[in-house]
Amino acid sequence: MIQIDLTGQVAVVTGGSSGIGFATAELFLQAGASVAICGRDAERLSRAEQRLRERFPQAQLLATRCNVLDATDVSAFADAVHTRFGATHMLVNNAGQGRVSTFADTTDDAWREELELKYFSIIRPTRAFLPMLRAAAAAASGNACGNASIVCVNSLLALQPEPHMVATSSARAGVLSLIKSLAGELAPEHIRVNSILIGIVESGQWRRRYEAQEPRGRSWDDWTRALARKKNIPLGRFGLPEEAAQALFYLATALSSYTTGSHIDVSGGVARHV
Ligand code: NDP
């Protein structure tokens, strides 16, 4: 694996207390970055912080309770990062979850909630951390491989909608457009903006679905393998949080210094388009 030293750089991961966000925080810490994570549930966040501190005793780590849909929370989170680390070089907009519903059973309120989650989980943190990202980009000016970046976790549903996730698919497509526009607007300031399009990744939300939906006592492994078969995932399994995290890490760091407005498919081959 390519080694990259992120000492002196600050990475912010929204929704870093579980799944993909947690795995991404681990990668940043492993590379020497200072890392800030957030989540809504204080207990889950504190457990995540403890696990990260056990694994990386020297970690420069900040864990702040924050709902990314709450403007006050987000601005307090950005202030806390500024006070603690004085900078942000990489923002990973990861917080969120999917919504399983068809057009027939999605109410107006459910549409609003889903659109709000998908858009504002990117808009609010991006707005709040932009001044620090701008400062990081300005400080790196003249260095072609200097780094200031935003990476968003998006889903393959953006390009390949599923009728049973109608609102999520539609919002994901809109967000892909938002990310492209943002990349165009911020490129002259040398802030790169990219995303990953994931298929199914083993994580907290799938564990919760397994617990809620599996009445036959099948093991997690059997349940996920059966689902992978049913969903025709060419690689035959769910992705791992680390696999999504590695793509996020690549797009967040100077490893991808000449890439912006782009996305990486991390779907196990599910994409049907060329
Ligand atoms: P997890 O449930 O394991 O992690 C989600 C994380 O986001 C948790 O830390 C959660 O903490 C946090 N979070 C959720 N909502 C908010 C909020 N409003 N404000 C702050 N934090 C929040 O799931 P994943 O790792 O799978 O999810 C990561 C991202 O990947 C999500 O955006 C999800 O939609 C997306 N995704 C995942 C797929 C998959 O198959 N796993 C497929 C497609 C997309 P807390 O609940 O305490 O706030």
Side-chain angles (χ1 to χ4, degrees):
M1 182 166 177
I2 298 173
Q3 294 290 321
I4 180 164
D5 182 5
L6 297 181
T7 306
Q9 293 202 26
V10 180
V12 173
V13 183
T14 68
S17 60
S18 168
I20 296 166
F22 182 85
T24 308
E26 282 187 304
L27 283 186
F28 283 130
L29 287 170
Q30 208 172 315
S34 302
V35 174
I37 59 172
C38 78
R40 293 164 302 178
D41 185 293
E43 251 179 54
R44 183 181 303 159
L45 187 67
S46 148
R47 277 198 306 273
E49 181 182 10
Q50 204 177 329
R51 277 172 62 204
L52 290 171
R53 288 200 186 283
E54 277 163 15
R55 179 134 188 244
F56 304 97
Q58 311 301 326
Q60 294 298 316
L61 175 64
L62 175 71
T64 303
R65 209 213 59 80
C66 160
N67 178 351
V68 290
L69 300 185
D70 182 318
T72 310
D73 270 13
V74 176
S75 125
F77 180 38
D79 287 349
V81 171
H82 189 261
T83 304
R84 174 72 188 276
F85 299 130
T88 298
H89 300 81
M90 297 163 282
L91 169 65
V92 179
N93 287 317
N94 160 74
Q97 60 188 30
R99 175 182 295 268
V100 177
S101 69
T102 60
F103 184 78
D105 55 37
T106 309
T107 62
D108 284 2
D109 284 346
W111 273 104
R112 279 193 203 96
E113 265 176 33
E114 188 59 7
L115 292 170
E116 185 187 2
L117 175 63
K118 295 297 178 289
Y119 278 95
F120 284 93
S121 61
I122 292 178
I123 292 169
R124 293 237 160 87
T126 298
R127 196 184 277 140
F129 284 93
L130 207 42
M132 283 190 274
L133 291 166
R134 285 194 168 114
S141 88
N143 173 2
C145 292
N147 197 42
S149 66
I150 299 170
V151 193
C152 303
V153 176
N154 200 352
S155 159
L156 184 63
L157 293 173
L159 300 176
Q160 200 162 285
E162 295 277 1
H164 73 284
M165 294 187 79
V166 65
T168 296
S169 300
S170 166
R172 292 294 193 192
V175 156
L176 193 60
S177 165
L178 164 66
I179 294 165
K180 189 74 173 171
S181 297
L182 203 52
E185 188 170 328
L186 297 180
E189 300 184 63
H190 304 287
I191 300 171
R192 298 179 303 105
V193 189
N194 292 290
S195 62
I196 63 168
L197 301 185
I198 55 180
I200 298 185
V201 172
E202 284 186 16
S203 65
Q205 53 177 316
W206 280 98
R207 286 271 170 193
R208 288 191 290 278
R209 283 185 207 172
Y210 165 69
E211 279 151 25
Q213 291 173 11
E214 178 49 47
R216 281 171 288 173
R218 263 187 305 185
S219 71
W220 164 253
D221 283 349
D222 289 348
W223 187 78
T224 56
R225 266 196 296 270
L227 213 53
R229 268 196 306 278
K230 189 172 151 206
K231 290 183 175 290
N232 296 316
I233 300 176
L235 288 181
R237 61 174 177 85
F238 282 16
L240 301 172
E242 304 84 274
E243 292 172 315
Q246 283 164 17
L248 288 169
F249 183 87
Y250 169 74
L251 289 172
T253 62
L255 288 172
S256 60
S257 52
Y258 200 51
T259 300
T260 196
S262 188
H263 53 258
I264 294 181
D265 176 314
V266 192
S267 71
V270 172
R272 285 192 299 270
H273 52 271
V274 174

